[in-house]
Amino acid sequence: PIIVIRGFLKKGNSSKEVYLVTLSGTELVENQSTGYLTDLLVGFNQNNAYLRNVVSVIKTNIPAGSNLILSGHSLGGMVAQQVAANSEIKAKYNVLNTVTFGSPLISEGRREGTVKRLRDVSDVVPYLSATGNIVWQVCGLNRENGGYGTDVGSAHSDSYIRSDAWGKYD
């Protein structure tokens, strides 16, 4: 559920080395920390095995002082927000961006770097935040219409892989 890719972030004529850390959403896989219990723990911004696994993978595979871009869908996006707020990560790495797809807001105000939250207009999951602050939940959501109407399940699981809906985001 954790993928690390080394690359370069280019802007104009300059570029800098970055590590993209991508995280999967809820998956019911034996011996994997991406199940429903983790959803609940992360939803209430509690310590959890997925967060510990991601921090361990980063520390083991990415040199200290490196630039990070964190990204995840649903549960993975919530854990990405936790990683961006993790004191150990913030002390050893430079979190540039956190990009979430269909993820509730957690850890408001404590994350390092810029956070971009993407939501299909028919996806209700990004509003299932335990923060209790509706303004924080809504602020910063980038919304696109994938045409799912009342099919909230497909909006949550299928929309975010469609370049026709999300291709304009860089």
Side-chain angles (χ1 to χ4, degrees), residues 118-131:
L118 307 178
R119 170 192 179 252
D120 187 285
V121 297
S122 296
D123 185 359
V124 298
V125 172
Y127 291 125
L128 301 178
S129 176
T131 66

Side-chain angles (χ1 to χ4, degrees), residues 13-76:
N13 292 329
S14 66
S15 69
K16 60 180 153 185
E17 183 179 55
V18 297
Y19 287 84
L20 175 62
V21 180
T22 63
L23 309 175
S24 75
T26 304
E27 296 180 317
L28 303 178
V29 177
E30 189 175 345
N31 297 321
Q32 188 168 292
S33 56
T34 56
Y36 295 130
L37 175 59
T38 304
D39 278 314
L40 288 171
L41 291 171
V42 176
F44 288 97
N45 203 19
Q46 300 297 307
N47 192 3
N48 61 84
Y50 200 178
L51 171 63
R52 291 189 299 273
N53 290 339
V54 174
V55 169
S56 176
V57 165
I58 290 172
K59 289 171 38 183
T60 302
N61 296 286
I62 301 175
S66 295
N67 297 309
L68 304 179
I69 297 175
L70 308 169
S71 180
H73 172 256
S74 195
L75 170 62

